[in-house]
Amino acid sequence: MAVAVSDFCRRAKSPAPAPEVREALALLAEDDDFRVRALTDGEPETTPLGPFAVVDILRGTAPAVAAQRQSCGYYDVARELAYVREEKTPPRAPAADPSVPTFATPPAAKAAKKAAKAEEPSVMERIAPKKRAAPVDEETTSAPPEFDDAHSFLRRDLPRPRGRFTRVEAPRTPFVELTRASGKEILEATLEGSEHRFALLRNLSHRFNGSRGDLSLVDLETVLRDHGLLDALQEKERLQLLDAYTSQRGATGRVGWALGVSPPELQRLVSAAGLTEEVEALRERFRREALATSHLTHRLDLLGREKYLADLGIQRKFNDSLRKELERLLRDDLPGATDLHGLCEAVGRKYGSPSELVFRAIERLGLADGLRKQIHTGVPPTNS
């Protein structure tokens, strides 16, 4: 029955999860199953219709009205209000024993009238879907119920999904399959879409177990060596690392981000490929280029790349060098400057650099306060 309602809601352009479908069907009695079947076997008259809209139609609501309620979120609001009411409603006190005498003052007529009016169901409670009543034996029907839940949605411990709603992880293949001749074809096919051994490990760990539990890097390297594929993988990793370090200009952090590995994994790749000295030579080359560049705009732009300079280990040295150069360049135009922004514009026009970069460098290198004092003391006082 739940599958039929779920399929009907899907055709009515309002698909619903299995728990919501079961919760809606719990509001109907078992005698209504044939009516549910008769409704869901046909095509929806209007859209959208969810599971609670189906229950509303079975209780006499017009399909157009139910579709309008579904589209405006009426059923979701009704369910949330019912949940809040259920959580906030305290349990009723047990009925007083008539055999025990009580000395409480009888309530006044006005208070009794207000209490009777408060017990009447509200409009929301009257139009809400009814909860399916649990089957009760005839012997127990005479016992009064403790709670009146006929007009509320209750959260219950529903059974785990079954059938088409079940999600089960696929079983992993034993590690011995990779050691066989057929495993070489699997490794070769997976190697084509993997940049390095850690990517290969992630792709295979979802499909194969290891020799002792989960598939490890040692297991992967062993089986690659047995099939004669490790040397080809190392050469591929070597080319990938050299290209990444060159394109990222020696920044280790950006190389790891580009390859999708952590810093320890990147260090393991560099060591396995035998590129420790070559990588360090590349980084040293880019360090010298950053420190030796004479173009002011390029140096001002590098000042804003703090992470890159810190990765190369030259941030403090670069800042000190640029600070000395800016002090020398600003000294020539300082006597004629009236404010700091005018001084930055003069230096920028003179050396072909944006004044915003010059001003940002002065602020970042801690030169702004000293320059403002020098400009203020150098300006002659105005006669008022």
Side-chain angles (χ1 to χ4, degrees), residues 33-87:
D33 289 348
F34 76 97
R35 299 174 59 203
V36 175
R37 201 65 182 179
L39 177 63
T40 56
D41 287 345
E43 291 298 324
E45 297 182 10
T46 181
T47 59
L49 293 175
F52 287 96
V54 172
V55 175
D56 210 4
I57 292 174
L58 294 176
R59 292 190 178 278
T61 303
V65 177
Q68 185 177 6
R69 291 178 177 178
Q70 181 71 35
S71 60
C72 70
Y74 166 82
Y75 298 109
D76 296 334
V77 174
R79 293 172 62 198
E80 292 298 329
L81 292 176
Y83 293 152
V84 172
R85 176 178 175 273
E86 177 189 355
E87 294 176 357

Side-chain angles (χ1 to χ4, degrees), residues 271-342:
S271 177
L275 294 176
T276 304
E277 296 181 359
E278 296 185 33
V279 167
E280 186 59 31
L282 277 174
R283 285 168 57 82
E284 183 62 28
R285 185 188 108 192
F286 290 114
R287 290 191 193 102
R288 291 196 302 267
E289 288 184 4
L291 293 172
T293 181
S294 58
H295 197 279
L296 181 60
T297 304
H298 188 201
R299 302 196 69 181
L300 294 176
D301 183 65
L302 277 177
L303 180 65
R305 302 173 60 186
E306 296 180 351
K307 292 184 179 180
Y308 174 71
L309 296 175
D311 195 312
L312 294 179
I314 59 172
Q315 184 178 11
R316 183 174 180 180
K317 189 175 181 179
F318 180 84
N319 290 352
D320 294 341
S321 174
L322 183 58
R323 184 183 295 107
K324 293 179 181 178
E325 183 180 358
L326 279 178
E327 289 175 349
R328 179 179 60 82
L329 298 178
L330 294 169
R331 191 181 302 117
D332 299 335
D333 297 314
L334 186 59
T338 58
D339 59 358
L340 188 57
H341 288 282

Side-chain angles (χ1 to χ4, degrees), residues 210-221:
S211 58
R212 296 180 180 179
D214 295 335
L215 185 64
S216 64
L217 186 62
V218 177
D219 297 332
L220 182 60
E221 292 175 346

